[in-house]
Each structure stands twice: as C-alpha cells, then as structure tokens.
Amino acid sequence: MRQKKTLIILILVFAGLLALYAGLRMYQKKQSAQKSSSDKLIIKDMSDLTSISYNNGQDLSFVKRNGTWFYEKDSEFPVEQSYLTSMASQFQKIEAVRKLKNGDSLEDYGLEHPAYTIRVKDKKGTQTTYYIGSASGDNYYLTLDDKSTVYTVSADLLSGLSYSLNDMMQTDTFPTLSSGNLKKVVVTSGSKVKTYTSKSKNDMDSIAGGLGVFTFGDCQNYSVKDKDLAKYGLDSESRVTVDITYKDTETKKSKSLTLYIGSKDKGGENYYVKLKDSKIVYLSDADIVNNILNP
C-alpha cells in the first residue's frame, strides 16, 4: 500500500515537472520572438498602399482602386496583380539591414543621383519617397524623404523594380491540347464548316498537331475595340472561328473556348489571333496556324 502511494506521488511530481518545463519553453519562445521583433530596424511602416510610382527607364505609376491595381496612364491596361501586390508589400514596411552613423556624403552611396526613386502613398494619405543608390555587397543603400539618414537594405527590395510595363501585362493562357483530351473542334470560315471528332471522317489527330503547339505571341493590342477588329481581319465577316471542346488535364472536366484567327501581318510570318472573350490581340506563328486551318 505504501509503495502504491509512493508511486502515485512520484507520478504527480513528474507530471508537475513536465508542466513546468512546457511553461518555461513557451515563455522562452515568447521572449525570443519579442526580442527578435524588437531587434528589427524598421525604416517605415505604412498602412495599405494605394499608389506606387517609379522610373526604371520608363515612368511607371500605378493606383489601387477597390482592391485592384491599375496603370495610372491607361486603366484599360491589363495589369497582372501579383507584381503590384508584391511590390506594395515590400515598400509598405521596409526593414533595414543596418543604419549608417556619421556617414559620408550622399554621392558616396550613389544617392545624390539615385538609381531608383519610388514614391508611395497609403490609404491614410501618408506619402513617402524612397531613394535607392549603389550596391553594398549583397545590399543597397537607401534613404528616404529628407535624405537625412542612410540605411542598407536587402537587394530583394529591388526585385520588382526591373520589370517593364509589358512584363506586368496579364495575358491570356491557352490550354494544353492533344488528341488525347480533345473532344470536338469546329472550324468555321465563312460558309465553310469543318468538324473534327474522334468519330468523324476528319481525323482529330490532324488538327491536334496544330492546336497542340499553338501559343500566343507578341501582344499587338491589349484593349481592342470592336470598330478596330477589321484591321486585324478579326471582324465577324473576315475571321475564322475555331470552337474547341476538350477535357481539362487537371480537373478532368469538359471545357470549351473559341479562338478567332484573323489576317496575316505585313511580313506574312504571323496571323493575328484572339480569344472570343478577350480584348487582347496577339500574333501567332503562321506555320502553326496553317496546321489548324489546313491540317
């Protein structure tokens, strides 16, 4: 009986020690996190940004309205949101690698004539101008507003600044197609209609050769108006319509899309093309398109 009581007491003591150990571990982690947070040198901490402008060879300015980023000079330009979301996140709250004390002149850091000047504004109306100068090992020199203090910041801060406007364009994607997932293709040119299915006399393998390697080339117009379609041969009277039904390789569900094929460009090496529900006109290689028109 005495041994049983001793065992129970030892178990309780052991459980208490475990609880104490767990509590100490949690406290140490919390203290470590607080210390790590306090050690960070935050240059600027703003609320959600609503505008970003800078020059990287181009004067680029973007504004955010109702949660969506737009190119300020042309709101119809299709901006790929991830570029601006990432950039806004970087410049909303900037952490310095170190703060320079008793530094040299701005010229010595490439800040008299900075490589980048970035102006931002947040939803509270707070405006800040960042200046980025020359490299310092893996980092860059940065100052802001009145240029009274110089910092070094990670080169990651510059990652989004090198993209051109065209790099940031949201373009259309064309699905992966082959005879294995194509279900039906209907090509309409004026009054002529050709239908391709696995059971038709027109062999699906033949047109799959063209559709399987089809890609969108350079953008020619990112917001085409109906009245301008004719100059690309994409008006309803001139274009060739390719209606495609296929099985999506990821979802395994049946999907459909319509591709419009217009006239050739001046060099004759490409066709103008666009998707039915898109405003973007592209060029596409003539040899590939011909394998769709005449498989």
Side-chain angles (χ1 to χ4, degrees), residues 214-256:
F214 177 84
T215 57
F216 294 118
D218 293 338
C219 170
Q220 302 301 295
N221 189 325
Y222 56 76
S223 186
V224 68
K225 305 295 187 294
D226 288 345
K227 63 183 180 64
D228 296 323
L229 288 173
K231 71 180 182 182
Y232 303 108
L234 290 167
D235 55 302
S236 57
E237 290 78 19
S238 308
R239 67 195 178 210
V240 175
T241 300
V242 184
D243 293 302
I244 303 165
T245 304
Y246 66 100
K247 181 184 287 187
D248 186 89
T249 54
E250 293 184 2
T251 65
K252 307 302 180 183
K253 293 182 179 180
S254 180
K255 292 188 176 182
S256 62

Side-chain angles (χ1 to χ4, degrees), residues 86-262:
S86 175
M87 196 182 303
S89 176
Q90 288 178 310
F91 284 97
Q92 180 179 329
K93 184 175 182 178
I94 298 183
E95 179 184 348
V97 175
R98 67 188 180 98
K99 177 180 178 180
L100 276 61
K101 296 181 179 179
N102 303 318
D104 299 323
S105 67
L106 292 175
E107 183 179 6
D108 294 318
Y109 305 115
L111 289 168
E112 185 174 353
H113 302 289
Y116 294 101
T117 299
I118 305 98
R119 295 178 175 85
V120 300
K121 183 169 73 172
D122 68 11
K123 65 181 181 181
K124 293 180 179 179
T126 303
Q127 299 185 57
T128 295
T129 302
Y130 298 106
Y131 305 95
I132 298 176
S134 53
S136 173
D138 294 332
N139 305 309
Y140 278 82
Y141 293 111
L142 176 145
T143 187
L144 66 160
D145 296 331
D146 63 2
K147 299 184 179 181
S148 60
T149 307
V150 177
Y151 305 86
T152 59
V153 294
S154 169
D156 292 342
L157 191 65
L158 281 70
S159 60
L161 296 175
S162 61
Y163 295 111
S164 70
L165 184 63
N166 283 340
D167 289 335
M168 293 187 279
M169 182 187 297
Q170 172 66 65
T171 55
D172 299 303
T173 57
F174 197 78
T176 301
L177 299 176
S178 68
S179 57
N181 70 334
L182 278 169
K183 300 174 73 174
K184 184 178 181 181
V185 179
V186 180
V187 180
T188 304
S189 178
S191 60
K192 297 179 181 179
V193 180
K194 283 186 179 180
T195 301
Y196 299 83
T197 69
S198 57
K199 298 179 180 179
S200 69
K201 64 179 181 179
N202 293 313
D203 186 5
M204 182 70 85
D205 287 341
S206 59
I207 197 167
L211 291 173
V213 294
F214 177 84
T215 57
F216 294 118
D218 293 338
C219 170
Q220 302 301 295
N221 189 325
Y222 56 76
S223 186
V224 68
K225 305 295 187 294
D226 288 345
K227 63 183 180 64
D228 296 323
L229 288 173
K231 71 180 182 182
Y232 303 108
L234 290 167
D235 55 302
S236 57
E237 290 78 19
S238 308
R239 67 195 178 210
V240 175
T241 300
V242 184
D243 293 302
I244 303 165
T245 304
Y246 66 100
K247 181 184 287 187
D248 186 89
T249 54
E250 293 184 2
T251 65
K252 307 302 180 183
K253 293 182 179 180
S254 180
K255 292 188 176 182
S256 62
L257 63 84
T258 298
L259 174 69
Y260 291 148
I261 300 173

Side-chain angles (χ1 to χ4, degrees), residues 10 22 26 31-32 54 65 71 81-82 85 107 112 115 122 149 172 185 224 226 233 264 279 287:
L10 288 173
M26 290 180 65
Q31 290 296 102
S32 177
Y54 58 97
R65 305 189 192 102
Y71 178 48
Q81 295 296 299
S82 62
T85 300
E107 183 179 6
E112 185 174 353
D122 68 11
T149 307
D172 299 303
V185 179
V224 68
D226 288 345
K264 287 184 177 180
K279 292 184 177 181
D287 290 337

